[in-house]
Amino acid sequence: MSVDPRAYEAQFFGFTPQTCLLRIYIAFQDYLFEIMLVVESVILKKLERLPDSKITPFQIRKSTENFLLFMRQQFDKLFGTMEKVLLQLVLNIPRNVLLPEDKAHEQYPYSREQFQALQDEIKQLQQQFRAEAAAGQALRAELEEQKVVQAELEKILQWFDGLENVCREHGTGNFKESFAFLTQNSKKLRDVLKDVEEKNKKIQKCEQLL
């Protein structure tokens, strides 16, 4: 049997023509072997009815094997011709025929160079996607860190607010300079907190775009 993958025929039939022919070949060989066993058993039964016969069962088995070999050789010759006919006239799709699922190739033909360019573009887009995904993950990690920092800053601001209220209630004069210093630091911390909040907003916008 010849070796010819015939991928387009396999796409249409759902199996390769060579696979179909191989199964036909094996099925006939099995059928021929079974027939020869039946013929041999019939001959042996008739031989039992002829007690004076000089033919032994061993000779019959030898003759059966020789005949089986002859039949296989003849079948192989005939099968070669049958294989060519089936491959050319039955299990063959002419080169000018286009399957329905491949009509898009006819409407939008691409050369090998164009196809390779598309493949390169796909690889480039995949690399960009991986890079953007990694950047997004880094932004999410930074956002979590900023949330922790923001929570700590809010606690500090609450402490300063409480300290300022206490100073106002008790009117501690000696504490004015310290209070002025603490108030100045409180404003700085508020500015830092505002800056952190703005960064968080920017990071969230970037994450939404990704």
Side-chain angles (χ1 to χ4, degrees):
M1 296 180 65
S2 62
V3 178
D4 185 1
R6 293 177 176 265
Y8 208 50
E9 283 77 6
Q11 179 182 341
F12 177 73
F13 293 112
F15 55 84
T16 63
Q18 287 301 120
T19 301
C20 177
L21 293 174
L22 179 61
R23 290 179 178 177
I24 293 174
Y25 181 84
I26 294 174
F28 181 84
Q29 294 284 354
D30 293 340
Y31 182 74
L32 179 62
F33 181 75
E34 292 176 0
I35 289 296
M36 292 308 303
L37 289 179
V38 173
V39 172
E40 184 184 59
S41 63
V42 172
I43 294 174
L44 289 174
K45 287 181 179 180
K46 290 187 176 182
L47 184 63
E48 292 175 356
R49 300 175 182 176
L50 299 174
D52 297 334
S53 176
K54 297 180 180 180
I55 301 175
T56 63
F58 176 78
Q59 291 175 329
I60 293 176
R61 170 53 61 92
K62 192 67 176 178
S63 299
T64 302
E65 292 176 351
N66 291 335
F67 184 71
L68 179 61
L69 178 61
F70 172 77
M71 290 296 294
R72 284 181 173 174
Q73 292 173 349
Q74 296 301 314
F75 176 73
D76 287 342
K77 294 178 182 179
L78 294 174
F79 190 81
T81 303
M82 183 178 69
E83 180 184 16
K84 293 179 181 178
V85 173
L86 290 175
L87 289 177
Q88 292 176 2
L89 303 179
V90 180
L91 300 174
N92 177 55
I93 297 178
R95 295 295 170 248
N96 61 334
V97 174
L98 193 65
L99 296 179
E101 57 267 29
D102 294 330
K103 289 292 183 181
H105 299 297
E106 184 180 27
Q107 296 176 359
Y108 309 100
Y110 283 93
S111 63
R112 186 180 297 274
E113 291 77 13
Q114 290 174 323
F115 179 76
Q116 185 60 43
L118 287 175
Q119 292 291 98
D120 296 339
E121 184 178 356
I122 291 173
K123 290 181 181 179
Q124 184 178 0
L125 290 174
Q126 288 176 341
Q127 291 175 355
Q128 291 179 356
F129 174 77
R130 294 191 187 99
E132 291 177 357
Q137 186 175 2
L139 286 174
R140 286 190 291 271
E142 184 178 353
L143 179 61
E144 292 299 324
E145 293 178 359
Q146 294 290 352
K147 289 180 178 179
V148 174
V149 173
Q150 182 179 357
E152 293 297 327
L153 288 175
E154 288 177 351
K155 290 180 181 179
I156 294 173
L157 288 175
Q158 290 176 359
W159 181 80
F160 274 112
D161 290 338
L163 181 61
E164 184 179 359
N165 293 330
V166 170
C167 291
R168 287 178 179 176
E169 290 176 358
H170 293 81
T172 307
N174 297 332
F175 194 70
K176 287 184 179 180
E177 294 181 0
S178 298
F179 179 71
F181 175 75
L182 291 173
T183 302
Q184 185 179 2
N185 286 338
S186 175
K187 291 180 179 179
K188 290 181 180 180
L189 286 173
R190 290 182 185 276
D191 293 337
V192 172
L193 178 60
K194 185 177 180 181
D195 183 60
V196 170
E197 290 177 346
E198 291 178 354
K199 286 184 178 180
N200 284 338
K201 292 179 180 179
K202 291 180 180 179
I203 291 173
Q204 289 176 354
K205 289 181 179 180
C206 291
E207 185 177 6
Q208 290 175 357
L209 292 176
L210 293 176

